[in-house]
Amino acid sequence: QQQVKQSPQSLIVQKGGISIINCAYENTAFDYFPWYQQFPGKGPALLIAIRPDVSEKKEGRFTISFNKSAKQFSLHIMDSQPGDSATYFCAASGDMRFGAGTRLTVKP
Amino acid sequence: ETGVTQTPRHLVMGMTNKKSLKCEQHLGHNAMYWYKQSAKKPLELMFVYSLEERVENNSVPSRFSPECPNSSHLFLHLHTLQPEDSALYLCASSQDGQGAGYGYTFGSGTRLTVV
């Protein structure tokens, strides 16, 4: 049973554009929502995370928007760069559940 | 050395072989995890250890056998695997069980190919 649904599966963005990845969760008991970034040949690395008591968190070019009533959250990458090309996973905890991943390609 | 270290990075084994994957964390975390990552599938949680006790086993076939001798080391013993077991096996650790509130630190994984 997949409790975290992530979309899109893949995303192509031009350099300087905004990349947006969406996730939806089911369990209202989840209280921690991290995003992970994975480069080929590496394990996922924690990128940014949010708790449900805030609606937005920003770290540099990365922003999480959180909508508790809709049980949705999204990752926004501003001024996307080719070095951002990677696979991104959302997750939700309590018991850490991962989305299926989004493969982002940023074209120069 | 810091972080989570997995060895070997690559492993090719026959279906009748027995091999082990090793994971070591230098972060002082209390919980460790094994995940399976296959192409076009979500990360699949296999095993969870908290304070060296197994707290979750997500219906993983018995051909996978975990071992956690102490809070810094985690092994995954493999025997009589099937070709569909070929995947990237990731180890992770967290400060507390289930990563609630702290997130996970992942190793780089072991790329396993069963022939």
Side-chain angles (χ1 to χ4, degrees), chain A residues 2 9 31-32 34 36 38 41-46 51 87 89 93-101, chain B residues 9 35 37 40-43 45 56 58 88 90 97-109:
Chain A
Q2 184 182 349
Q9 283 188 333
D31 58 2
Y32 179 70
Y36 289 83
Q38 185 177 25
K42 299 288 187 181
L46 181 63
R51 297 188 184 279
T87 300
F89 295 92
S93 187
D95 54 346
M96 191 75 76
R97 304 285 173 170
F98 285 87
Chain B
R9 291 297 309 274
Y35 277 87
Q37 186 174 36
K40 299 181 180 180
K41 283 188 174 182
L43 285 161
L45 178 63
E56 186 165 346
N58 281 339
L88 181 68
L90 290 162
Q98 300 298 317
Y102 296 98
Y104 289 6
T105 301
F106 283 89
S108 294

Side-chain angles (χ1 to χ4, degrees), chain B residues 46-88:
Chain B
M46 301 176 71
F47 299 104
V48 180
Y49 278 83
S50 181
L51 297 172
E52 305 158 42
E53 296 290 326
R54 188 192 304 181
V55 296
E56 186 165 346
N57 172 357
N58 281 339
S59 302
V60 179
S62 59
R63 57 185 184 269
F64 296 92
S65 175
E67 178 188 3
C68 187
N70 56 62
S71 61
S72 298
H73 294 85
L74 185 65
F75 295 89
L76 188 63
H77 304 298
L78 316 172
H79 65 96
T80 59
L81 294 191
Q82 304 299 311
E84 59 265 27
D85 297 323
S86 298
L88 181 68

Side-chain angles (χ1 to χ4, degrees), chain B residues 14-27:
Chain B
M15 289 190 284
T16 59
N17 291 160
K18 289 185 180 180
K19 296 286 184 182
S20 296
L21 310 184
K22 180 182 177 181
C23 176
E24 186 173 2
Q25 59 100 357
H26 308 272
L27 300 167

Side-chain angles (χ1 to χ4, degrees), chain A residues 4 6 9 27 73 82 89 92 108:
Chain A
V4 180
Q6 183 173 345
Q9 283 188 333
N27 191 335
F73 59 109
F89 295 92

